[in-house]
């Protein structure tokens, strides 16, 4: 994702002051400003380098990283802006056109994301001295850049049959060594150093809960009422995970259980007493079966108008509203999501392993049914994810190879993208000028 400009005014998520500079082929510099670099038919203003430098400094400070000296940070900022210009000028020359109706929808989303009406947005632009036409053209550039990037990078990724065979062999071996398990638990905690009487009391609570489950009560209901861990609201479900990402004592306790079975005895750990249930198991031989997930999401794309941090806070607020019953997921997706799934309430349909980018898929797989994630960052933007359904289906060998091909393409994406950017940079006309700030 291309972060082209830095926010420039107080606590407002719109970075309107800087928008005009990159929207025009030949930006008009403000009095006292300088040209820091010429890139193809575009320029980078010194004021932009200063703003980007400050943003890099703030980001490093927030992450607790050691910041380079000002000169080094300024060089990073200038190189990032040059790369941005290389991409956007290439997109203008080769990208698909963005029609006015689509651009209108994106502008409306920018206003909505910043809790502004369209008249308020126009007034804010006017107050900041930013031309509305330049504002729209800046958004158009960003959309064209993203489309060209996806088209050209995806076209450069090649996956051979030998690579697919190796990937499938590796996955088969991993499954034979343990597979994946979705566990649910009821946890009754025991404080560190608790007296024997306290331990006995906590054991009695856990044993009573186990008796309820063994007597036929719904495990999820007991978990919601008794469990003391973070998964209680989801009926105790931890989510489908490879066995090597689960505690060894959990794996050992359920190794002989089938899907739907509950461990017959309490498990004692350093945290307390556990009642474990195997919700689902995928083990050796599951190469011929696939777990498919039907999920939906709300996608916000960080940009000059909406930083990733602000997008994450906005999605966290949406999650709060949904869980409080103040809003419906599908309604918020229709009003806010910035991809083709918005019209359908964010529904992404049924998808098997490898169907989504890894960071999205990992967060999705960790969710219980109807669970909602926190904000999840991917190269497409920031997502709020909800799992609607799961099912296990027989996998055709051709589909299995297609899944492998998709996973391998994702693994190669970043490297191919960087190579493409370097190639564009090498072909571009770039003149860096000296300037004083």
């Amino acid at each position: 994702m291309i972060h082209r400009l830095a926010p420039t005014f107080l606590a407002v998520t719109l970075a309107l002051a800087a928008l005009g500079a990159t929207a025009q082929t030949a930006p008009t510099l403000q009095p006292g400003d300088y040209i820091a670099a010429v890139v193809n038919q575009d320029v980078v203003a010194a004021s932009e380098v200063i703003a980007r430098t400050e943003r890099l400094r703030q980001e490093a400070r927030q992450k607790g990283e050691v910041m380079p000296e000002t000169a080094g940070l300024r060089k990073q900022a200038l190189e990032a802006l040059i790369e941005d210009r290389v991409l956007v000028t290439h997109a203008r020359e080769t990208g698909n056109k963005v029609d006015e109706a689509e651009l209108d929808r994106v502008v409306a989303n920018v206003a909505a994301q910043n809790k502004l009406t369209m008249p308020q947005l126009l007034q804010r632009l006017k107050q900041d001295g930013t031309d509305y036409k330049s504002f729209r053209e800046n958004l158009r550039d960003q959309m064209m850049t993203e489309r060209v990037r996806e088209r050209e990078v995806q076209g450069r990724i090649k996956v051979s049959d030998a690579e697919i065979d190796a990937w499938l062999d590796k996955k088969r071996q991993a499954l034979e060594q343990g597979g994946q398990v979705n566990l649910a638990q009821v946890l009754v905690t025991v404080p560190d150093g608790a007296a024997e009487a306290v331990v006995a009391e906590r054991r009695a609570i856990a044993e009573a809960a186990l008796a309820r489950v063994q007597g036929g009560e719904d495990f999820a209901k007991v978990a919601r009422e008794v469990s003391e861990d973070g998964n209680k609201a989801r009926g105790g479900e931890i989510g489908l995970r490879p066995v090597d990402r689960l505690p060894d004592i959990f794996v050992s306790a359920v190794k002989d259980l089938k899907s739907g079975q509950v461990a017959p005895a309490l498990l004692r750990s350093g945290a307390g007493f556990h009642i474990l249930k195997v919700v689902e198991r995928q083990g050796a031989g599951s190469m011929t079966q696939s777990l498919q997930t039907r999920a939906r999401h709300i996608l916000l794309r960080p940009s000059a108008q909406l930083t990733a941090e602000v997008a994450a806070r906005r999605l966290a607020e949406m999650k709060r509203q949904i869980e409080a019953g103040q809003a419906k997921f599908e309604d918020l997706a229709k009003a806010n999501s910035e991809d083709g799934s918005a019209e359908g309430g964010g529904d992404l349909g049924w998808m098997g392993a490898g169907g989504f980018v890894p960071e999205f898929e990992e967060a999705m797989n960790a969710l219980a049914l109807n669970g909602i994630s926190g904000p999840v960052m991917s190269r497409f933007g920031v997502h709020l994810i909800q799992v609607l359904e799961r099912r296990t289906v027989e996998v055709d060998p051709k589909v299995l190879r297609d899944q492998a091909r998709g996973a391998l393409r994702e693994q190669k994406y970043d490297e191919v993208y960087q190579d493409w950017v370097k190639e564009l940079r090498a072909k571009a006309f770039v003149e860096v000028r000296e300037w004083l700030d």
Side-chain angles (χ1 to χ4, degrees):
M1 167 172 334
I2 309 302
H3 299 286
R4 296 184 49 202
L5 299 168
T8 56
F9 67 78
L10 306 177
V12 180
T13 57
L14 290 169
L16 303 179
L19 291 178
T22 56
Q24 304 167 3
T25 302
T28 301
L29 299 177
Q30 298 298 316
D33 209 347
Y34 301 87
I35 294 177
V38 179
V39 183
N40 293 329
Q41 72 273 28
D42 225 335
V43 302
V44 176
S47 59
E48 294 180 85
V49 181
I50 294 170
R52 180 67 70 95
T53 300
E54 181 56 30
R55 193 176 85 183
L56 291 175
R57 181 178 286 109
Q58 291 175 357
E59 290 174 352
R61 189 180 296 117
Q62 290 171 355
K63 295 176 182 177
E65 298 175 349
V66 177
M67 291 179 288
E69 59 186 24
T70 300
L73 208 57
R74 186 185 295 128
K75 184 177 180 180
Q76 288 182 29
L78 178 58
E79 283 301 314
L81 287 163
I82 289 173
E83 181 180 305
D84 290 347
R85 292 299 200 282
V86 168
L87 292 173
V88 77
T89 53
H90 177 72
R92 288 174 185 162
E93 294 173 357
T94 63
N96 296 326
K97 301 300 180 183
V98 177
D99 62 48
E100 295 303 310
E102 186 175 9
L103 196 55
D104 288 341
R105 182 181 67 82
V106 173
V107 171
N109 278 346
V110 169
Q113 288 164 6
N114 291 276
K115 300 180 180 179
L116 297 173
T117 64
M118 280 304 297
Q120 288 172 331
L121 173 62
L122 295 174
Q123 181 63 28
R124 182 59 57 81
L125 287 164
K126 183 177 180 181
Q127 289 174 354
D128 202 60
T130 302
D131 178 66
Y132 178 62
K133 180 180 179 181
S134 296
F135 172 71
R136 286 173 61 87
E137 291 307 310
N138 178 270
L139 292 176
R140 191 193 305 273
D141 280 345
Q142 293 180 43
M143 294 167 69
M144 287 193 300
T145 298
E146 183 174 334
R147 290 176 181 179
V148 169
R149 180 192 65 186
E150 288 302 305
R151 183 189 70 214
E152 298 205 17
V153 174
Q154 291 292 354
R156 290 165 176 253
I157 299 174
K158 307 299 180 185
V159 177
S160 68
D161 286 341
E163 288 176 306
I164 293 174
D165 291 339
W167 189 92
L168 290 172
D169 286 343
K170 184 177 179 180
K171 183 177 180 181
R172 189 176 293 109
Q173 291 173 13
L175 290 170
E176 290 172 353
Q177 292 171 2
Q180 300 184 91
V181 180
N182 181 9
L183 295 180
Q185 72 162 338
V186 176
L187 169 63
V188 178
T189 60
V190 176
D192 290 339
E196 290 186 10
V198 174
V199 174
E201 177 187 357
R202 305 302 288 173
R203 179 189 293 274
I205 294 173
E207 288 177 341
L210 177 60
R212 290 172 60 185
V213 171
Q214 292 175 335
E217 281 198 55
D218 180 57
F219 189 97
K221 177 177 180 291
V222 175
R224 284 191 288 268
E225 293 178 0
V226 179
S227 190
E228 298 172 331
D229 79 328
N231 301 309
K232 63 180 295 183
R234 301 196 297 267
E237 277 200 44
I238 296 173
L240 190 67
R241 297 183 183 181
V243 293
D244 59 6
R245 290 178 54 196
L246 291 169
D248 290 341
I249 57 172
F250 280 23
V251 176
S252 178
V254 302
K255 62 184 178 65
D256 296 324
L257 300 182
K258 298 179 180 179
S259 297
Q261 292 184 325
V262 176
L266 296 178
L267 174 67
R268 176 68 194 272
S269 76
F273 295 101
H274 307 259
I275 304 169
L276 297 178
K277 175 183 177 180
V278 177
V279 178
E280 179 184 9
R281 184 186 291 279
Q282 287 190 339
S286 65
M287 286 287 287
T288 60
Q289 292 186 320
S290 174
L291 177 68
Q292 293 186 338
T293 302
R294 179 174 164 236
R296 57 185 177 188
H297 77 151
I298 301 171
L299 171 66
L300 299 182
R301 300 182 188 273
S303 67
Q305 297 74 49
L306 188 73
T307 67
E309 182 180 0
V310 172
R313 287 203 302 265
R314 181 165 172 77
L315 287 172
E317 172 60 19
M318 292 183 194
K319 178 181 179 181
R320 186 198 67 76
Q321 293 174 359
I322 295 167
E323 292 179 338
Q326 298 171 350
K328 294 182 178 180
F329 194 107
E330 56 268 34
D331 293 340
L332 291 176
K334 288 178 181 178
N336 297 280
S337 194
E338 296 182 295
D339 75 331
S341 72
E343 186 176 348
D347 196 332
L348 298 169
W350 288 100
M351 193 67 66
F356 298 111
V357 291
E359 53 271 34
F360 184 101
E361 192 161 297
E362 181 178 355
M364 179 186 72
N365 288 343
L367 292 172
L369 289 180
N370 298 312
I372 301 176
S373 71
V376 176
M377 188 73 180
S378 81
R379 74 165 183 263
F380 295 107
V382 190
H383 312 257
L384 197 66
I385 308 167
Q386 183 177 38
V387 171
L388 299 175
E389 299 177 82
R390 285 195 174 98
R391 67 186 181 189
T392 300
V393 297
E394 293 295 323
V395 182
D396 182 272
K398 181 178 182 302
V399 173
L400 198 61
R401 295 186 69 82
D402 287 343
Q403 290 176 352
R405 181 177 287 105
L408 287 165
R409 290 180 69 86
E410 283 300 327
Q411 291 175 12
K412 293 184 176 188
Y413 184 94
D414 285 342
E415 181 180 353
V416 174
Y417 170 72
Q418 293 302 328
D419 288 344
W420 175 63
V421 171
K422 289 177 182 177
E423 183 180 314
L424 291 181
R425 174 74 162 81
K427 293 178 179 178
F429 171 79
V430 178
E431 177 188 345
V432 177
R433 300 184 181 183
E434 292 186 3
W435 52 276
L436 298 175
D437 59 337

